[in-house]
Amino acid sequence: MDMRSFAAAALAATLPSTLPPIPLDSVGNVGEETCVWLNAFLGRIYRDAARSPHFHKWFAARIEDSLNKGWANRPDFVDEMKVTVNGFGPTPPLLTAARWLPTSAMENADLEYDLAMNAKFRFRGALSFTVETKFWINWPRERYASIPLQVHIRMTEMAGAVRMGVRRNKSFVSFLSEPFSIFEVDSTIGKHETKFKQLRRLDAIIVGRIKSVIARKLVWPNCKH
């Protein structure tokens, strides 16, 4: 029997209230983990999810809701948006430099049952999706005519510090600050999908909307359960 594994499992199963308190100034002495086993586990989940039509549909619905709902200042010349996920790419997200975080360092934490860790996150894949909408022409009268528009978006990189764990009996993940991200955007307009390079404003609006939703919903203390 691996006594270190046994001791770690026994410690994890012990209620924190029965253990001596850990001073916050000692958190920096906790070593970083490589996350090899966790990345292998997450890589398998990513592989299955990336190939699942049901997950594609669910993920597209989440993006669609974020683009259409709660957007008070959406331009009046843009119709509601429909999202189709094209693919996630073969490369899964990677976690490195994980460090255990004592519950005493978490805001409003349940000292008995909450737990968390901080880590560095990086995704260098090819998450691609298409946003379909209509571009309204408001002359000579409002909504006089519409032109079908497709915005093809590829997120090629996202990186940042994340916090993940269990809080209030639910697993969660959250960025500690707004993550760095790179988006590539290509717009086509009309039935023949003619490239329309001048439509940069709408491209910037959609990408800006996605980034603002990430900042509002996925940056600590906000999180995704």
Side-chain angles (χ1 to χ4, degrees), residues 46 50 55-56 59-60 63 83-91 123-130 152-158 182-184 210 214:
Y46 178 87
F55 182 77
H56 282 213
F59 193 80
I63 300 176
V83 176
T84 302
V85 172
N86 303 318
F88 287 83
T91 307
F123 175 70
R124 285 181 172 174
L127 168 59
S128 62
F129 54 95
T130 300
H152 308 282
I153 301 175
R154 294 177 73 249
M155 188 188 75
T156 58
E157 184 171 355
M158 178 174 282
I182 297 177
F183 289 88
E184 297 177 356
I210 293 172
I214 292 173

Side-chain angles (χ1 to χ4, degrees), residues 7-36:
L11 180 61
T14 303
L15 289 175
S17 59
T18 64
L19 300 173
I22 301 176
L24 286 180
D25 57 6
S26 67
V27 174
N29 297 327
V30 179
E32 295 180 346
E33 300 283 345
T34 60
C35 296
V36 173

Side-chain angles (χ1 to χ4, degrees), residues 28-103:
N29 297 327
V30 179
E32 295 180 346
E33 300 283 345
T34 60
C35 296
V36 173
W37 67 270
L38 182 56
N39 283 318
F41 176 71
L42 294 177
R44 175 57 188 270
I45 294 177
Y46 178 87
R47 185 197 71 177
D48 293 345
R51 298 180 180 182
S52 168
H54 300 289
F55 182 77
H56 282 213
K57 186 176 180 180
W58 175 88
F59 193 80
R62 301 289 78 73
I63 300 176
E64 198 170 291
D65 285 348
S66 298
L67 289 174
N68 290 318
K69 295 181 180 179
W71 192 0
N73 59 344
R74 185 176 68 190
D76 58 3
F77 59 84
V78 178
D79 204 353
E80 284 205 353
M81 304 181 189
K82 183 178 180 180
V83 176
T84 302
V85 172
N86 303 318
F88 287 83
T91 307
L94 183 68
L95 294 174
T96 59
R99 191 186 295 271
W100 170 73
L101 181 71
T103 51

Side-chain angles (χ1 to χ4, degrees), residues 91-131:
T91 307
L94 183 68
L95 294 174
T96 59
R99 191 186 295 271
W100 170 73
L101 181 71
T103 51
S104 55
M106 296 174 58
E107 300 87 348
N108 302 317
D110 185 330
L111 299 182
E112 292 288 12
Y113 297 106
D114 290 359
L115 60 89
M117 74 172 190
N118 293 343
K120 294 179 181 178
F121 169 91
R122 170 158 287 178
F123 175 70
R124 285 181 172 174
L127 168 59
S128 62
F129 54 95
T130 300
V131 178

Side-chain angles (χ1 to χ4, degrees), residues 16 23 31 34 39 45 87 89 93 96 105 116-117 135 143 147 167 179-180 201 218 220-221:
T34 60
N39 283 318
I45 294 177
T96 59
M117 74 172 190
F135 185 84
R143 297 209 164 195
I147 301 174
R167 191 182 190 196
F180 168 80
R201 181 187 172 192
L218 288 176
W220 185 261

